[in-house]
Amino acid sequence: MSTTLTPALALQLGWSLIPTGLDKKPAFSLLPKNDKHKRTWKPFQTRQATPEEFSKWKRAEPAGWAIATGAFSGRITFDFDGETGRARMEEWGIQPHPRTGSGGFHWDVVYPNFYVPTLNGKAKTSLGERFPGLDVKGDGGYVIAFGRNENGPYVWLRDPEPDSPDMVPPEVWEYLRNSRTEEAAAVAEEP
């Protein structure tokens, strides 16, 4: 990578960033209060931090910085964890963007212009069964991109430009579209 990627440069690239702690959770004490007087990162799913917010966060020296994934940032992230994740990444023939603090890998793809749910293989058992070692950070999600977590630093391995959605296996897109349909059907059935 010819230019060192930093949080400030990420903002110039149009990414929506939020500060995070070592536990990978948003640094809520730094985030602004919403109408209900709770601190939340949700507004940053549809807007960037103001220069004042970013400066305040930067002065506080958070452990890490996360990208709000989805439509606003124009990217989704496939998160490959453990040996099964590494094998899947190699099977797909992709080059990851950063290596995570725990030794996993993130692969960023241009937002495909349809809703992509944020899913992890532990909570969404069908994802874990069908695609072991894979988590998806789409709409409503975030992914650590800079700094560190309890396990170690995040290291960018290549240019941050996301890859084409065409590189994602069609069966993955089909699964993600069906997951959205299942979510909508479940909500419609609630009393």
Side-chain angles (χ1 to χ4, degrees):
M1 192 167 44
S2 59
T3 302
T4 301
L5 187 61
T6 64
L9 179 58
L11 286 176
Q12 291 175 9
L13 293 171
W15 300 359
S16 179
L17 297 179
I18 58 169
T20 58
L22 285 172
D23 60 0
K24 301 196 295 186
K25 293 181 181 175
F28 288 110
S29 64
L30 299 176
L31 296 171
K33 292 182 179 180
N34 69 6
D35 295 344
K36 297 176 185 168
H37 307 292
K38 294 181 181 177
R39 296 189 184 274
T40 179
W41 71 275
K42 298 290 184 184
F44 303 101
Q45 291 179 13
T46 57
R47 75 169 178 90
Q48 276 191 309
T50 65
E52 294 79 19
E53 288 169 327
F54 181 72
S55 292
K56 176 185 171 188
W57 298 344
K58 190 174 176 187
R59 284 192 305 274
E61 298 181 0
W65 295 91
I67 303 168
T69 54
F72 182 79
S73 287
R75 64 199 307 123
I76 63 165
T77 299
F78 292 92
D79 182 2
F80 300 91
D81 291 322
E83 288 305 314
T84 54
R86 180 186 289 271
R88 179 153 317 281
M89 184 180 70
E90 291 171 0
E91 173 190 331
W92 290 2
I94 57 103
Q95 292 182 320
H97 286 89
R99 183 180 62 241
T100 70
S102 62
F105 297 93
H106 290 168
W107 179 46
D108 296 329
V109 176
V110 172
Y111 188 76
N113 295 321
F114 61 83
Y115 179 89
V116 177
T118 292
L119 303 170
N120 74 56
K122 291 179 185 171
K124 180 77 171 177
T125 55
S126 63
L127 175 69
E129 290 167 358
R130 181 121 183 238
F131 305 106
L134 179 67
D135 293 338
V136 180
K137 309 299 182 179
D139 290 290
Y142 66 88
V143 63
I144 310 299
F146 304 99
R148 60 180 298 109
N149 65 22
E150 294 165 337
N151 297 312
Y154 284 68
V155 178
W156 281 83
L157 304 173
R158 67 178 180 115
D159 186 295
E161 189 67 29
D163 288 331
S164 168
D166 296 339
M167 294 178 69
V168 177
E171 63 269 18
V172 174
W173 286 135
E174 178 183 349
Y175 175 86
L176 293 170
R177 284 180 193 243
N178 289 339
S179 291
R180 174 62 174 169
T181 303
E182 290 169 13
E183 282 179 17
V187 169
E189 291 177 9
E190 290 179 3

